Amino acid sequence: MELIAERGYRRTSLAAVAERAGLTQQGLLHHFPTKELLLIGVLEARDRWDAAAAASGSWRTGTLAQLVEYNATRPGIVQAYTVLSADSVTEDHPARDFFEARFRAVREALAAALRAEFGDALPGGLTPERAAPLLVAVMDGLQLQWLLDPGQVDMPASFRDFLTLLGSGAAGEAESGPGAGEGDREE
């Protein structure tokens, strides 16, 4: 993941990944027979880490705020995700199917989380299904801005601000959870 974040998918060789992992290229190919399968493995590992970070309870906006806080501690992984998700929009990209399915599943999970927290209509009248893609856009957009200008964009604080706009009580709850008081630090 670090190499892909540093170099991008297309400029990352299997030989470089094997070297960084302390394996021979043949040893790496035993686990990941193609570069495309390696990429999918990297993406799946990232999602498992995120799921583990959120496993402390059911998905709510407060859980999402904690995930944003967690992401602020791992810029290399956030960068890899951002680069790979943007790169996957091309027709021939090996991760395109992965990201299409992932975003579909994330929107469904977020709609369910919003419904559990707000019911069938959020403040402002949006349905959870209409708000879910906006929530994804805010999270991914903040990640991009934070990566480009971490001294000016406080990703966790900005996400809490968005939750306030959404009408979520989780904005304040996130401040008292893990990493409390760290949201105003410069990243």
Side-chain angles (χ1 to χ4, degrees):
M1 188 166 294
E2 290 172 3
L3 280 172
I4 293 170
E6 292 167 12
R7 302 178 182 181
Y9 169 74
R10 296 191 195 288
R11 293 189 339 239
T12 299
S13 69
L14 287 174
V17 172
E19 182 180 328
R20 177 84 57 104
L23 297 170
T24 65
Q25 191 166 345
Q26 292 75 22
L28 178 66
L29 290 171
H30 173 75
H31 297 285
F32 298 100
T34 66
K35 187 175 174 183
E36 290 79 13
L37 289 174
L38 175 66
L39 173 64
I40 300 302
V42 165
L43 296 170
E44 289 171 344
R46 180 197 185 269
D47 282 352
R48 280 193 304 275
W49 293 332
D50 286 352
S56 59
S58 63
W59 282 95
R60 301 284 187 163
T61 54
T63 309
L64 296 174
Q66 291 173 353
L67 180 59
V68 172
E69 288 273 352
Y70 178 54
N71 281 343
T73 69
R74 54 189 194 152
I77 291 171
V78 172
Q79 183 182 40
Y81 167 82
T82 301
V83 168
L84 291 171
S85 64
D87 211 25
S88 76
V89 301
T90 57
E91 288 292 327
D92 62 339
H93 196 278
R96 183 175 180 115
D97 291 341
F98 172 86
F99 275 105
E100 286 176 357
R102 182 186 185 282
F103 277 117
R104 203 172 300 117
V106 166
R107 287 190 304 268
E108 289 172 8
L110 291 177
L114 291 169
R115 180 167 278 104
E117 191 164 336
F118 295 104
D120 289 331
L122 280 71
L126 282 179
T127 65
E129 289 73 21
R130 299 267 319 265
L134 301 174
L135 189 53
V136 173
V138 166
M139 292 177 78
D140 285 359
L142 282 173
Q143 287 183 158
L144 177 61
Q145 292 179 64
W146 173 71
L147 287 167
L148 290 170
D149 198 0
Q152 293 296 311
V153 177
D154 183 333
M155 183 170 58
S158 294
F159 187 71
R160 287 191 306 273
D161 291 344
F162 174 75
L163 292 180
T164 299
L165 291 174
L166 190 62
S168 169
E173 293 169 19
E175 291 175 15
S176 62
E182 296 175 0
D184 293 330
R185 71 184 181 278
E186 300 256 340
E187 300 296 337

